[in-house]
C-alpha cells in the first residue's frame, strides 16, 4: 500500500508544514520581543527625562533663592550704609564749603 518513497515524501511535507507553521510563530515572538523592548526603552528614557527635569527644577530653585538672598542682602546693606554715606557726603560738602 504505502511504499518507502510515499513515507519519505509524507515526512518531507510534514517537516515543511511544521517549518511553515513555526515561521509566523517566531515572527510573532520576535515582534512581541521588539514591542516589549521598545516599551522598556521608552520607559527608561521617560524615567531619565523625569529625573533630569526634577534635578533642573531643584537647581533652578536654588539659583533663584541665591539671587533673591543676594538682592535682599545688598538692599539691607544699602539701607544700613545709606545713613553713613549721607553723613560722609555731608562731611565732604562741609569740607568743600570750609575750603571756599
Amino acid at each position: 500500500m504505502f511504499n518507502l518513497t510515499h513515507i519519505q515524501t509524507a515526512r518531507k511535507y510534514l517537516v515543511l508544514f511544521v517549518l511553515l507553521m513555526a515561521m509566523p510563530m517566531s515572527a510573532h515572538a520576535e515582534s512581541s520581543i521588539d514591542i516589549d523592548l521598545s516599551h522598556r526603552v521608552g520607559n527608561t528614557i521617560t524615567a531619565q527625562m523625569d529625573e533630569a527635569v526634577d534635578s533642573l527644577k531643584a537647581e533652578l530653585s536654588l539659583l533663584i533663592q541665591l539671587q533673591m538672598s543676594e538682592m535682599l542682602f545688598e538692599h539691607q546693606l544699602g539701607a544700613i550704609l545709606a545713613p553713613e554715606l549721607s553723613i560722609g557726603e555731608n562731611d565732604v560738602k562741609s569740607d568743600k564749603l570750609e575750603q571756599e
Side-chain angles (χ1 to χ4, degrees), residues 3-100:
N3 60 21
L4 187 58
T5 56
H6 287 100
I7 293 174
Q8 288 176 345
T9 305
R11 187 184 304 165
K12 287 179 186 177
Y13 283 122
L14 181 62
V15 168
L16 181 63
F17 177 74
V18 168
L19 289 175
L20 289 175
M21 292 303 290
M23 284 176 57
M25 289 181 192
S26 66
H28 177 70
E30 287 177 10
S31 66
S32 67
I33 290 171
D34 290 342
I35 290 170
D36 185 46
L37 182 62
S38 64
H39 282 292
R40 286 184 184 182
V41 169
N43 290 340
T44 302
I45 290 172
T46 302
Q48 289 176 348
M49 292 293 285
D50 288 343
E51 288 176 15
V53 167
D54 290 342
S55 175
L56 288 173
K57 283 181 182 177
E59 188 174 335
L60 182 60
S61 175
L62 289 174
L63 286 172
I64 291 171
Q65 289 176 10
L66 176 67
Q67 287 180 347
M68 290 178 69
S69 296
E70 287 176 352
M71 290 172 55
L72 183 60
F73 176 76
E74 289 173 1
H75 177 72
Q76 288 178 346
L77 184 64
I80 291 170
L81 294 179
E84 293 177 11
L85 289 176
S86 65
I87 291 171
E89 289 174 3
N90 289 338
D91 291 343
V92 170
K93 287 180 185 176
S94 63
D95 286 345
K96 284 184 182 180
L97 291 173
E98 289 175 3
Q99 288 177 356
E100 294 175 353

